[in-house]
Amino acid sequence: MNAYDIIIKPVLSEKSYDGIAAKKYAFKVMKSATKTQIKQAVETVFGVQVAKVNTVRVRGKKKRLGRNEGTTSSYKKAYVTLTADSKAIEFFESLS
């Protein structure tokens, strides 16, 4: 399993924008990834030092389109906090 396979995409929401100043970032990750794997993947992909990782399992929401009902897919979200002496992730710095 590759580090680029574990991190699917960054989560860009109001809550994630508030954490950028405190070096807290949100990512959509593989469902089977552990906290240790997520930490190693972020450190190798972005070249930063990770202090801690918190994960959340997000359940799919029910959606309707006319008569048809379905659900969106569920996924795992990781909140990554960097150490105080670590550099910030450049991708998020351009957004704030």
Side-chain angles (χ1 to χ4, degrees), residues 26-64:
F27 295 99
K28 186 175 180 181
V29 295
M30 279 180 34
K31 284 184 186 180
S32 61
T34 62
K35 290 183 179 184
T36 308
Q37 291 172 336
I38 295 168
K39 178 180 177 177
Q40 291 171 351
V42 170
E43 287 177 346
T44 57
V45 170
F46 297 107
V48 294
Q49 296 174 347
V50 176
K52 68 177 185 174
V53 176
N54 295 330
T55 58
V56 178
R57 297 289 301 252
V58 180
R59 224 186 287 162
K61 297 180 181 177
K62 286 190 177 183
K63 296 287 184 178
R64 278 184 51 163

Side-chain angles (χ1 to χ4, degrees), residues 60-73:
K61 297 180 181 177
K62 286 190 177 183
K63 296 287 184 178
R64 278 184 51 163
L65 184 60
R67 294 181 187 174
N68 302 327
E69 273 191 23
T71 57
T72 60
S73 59

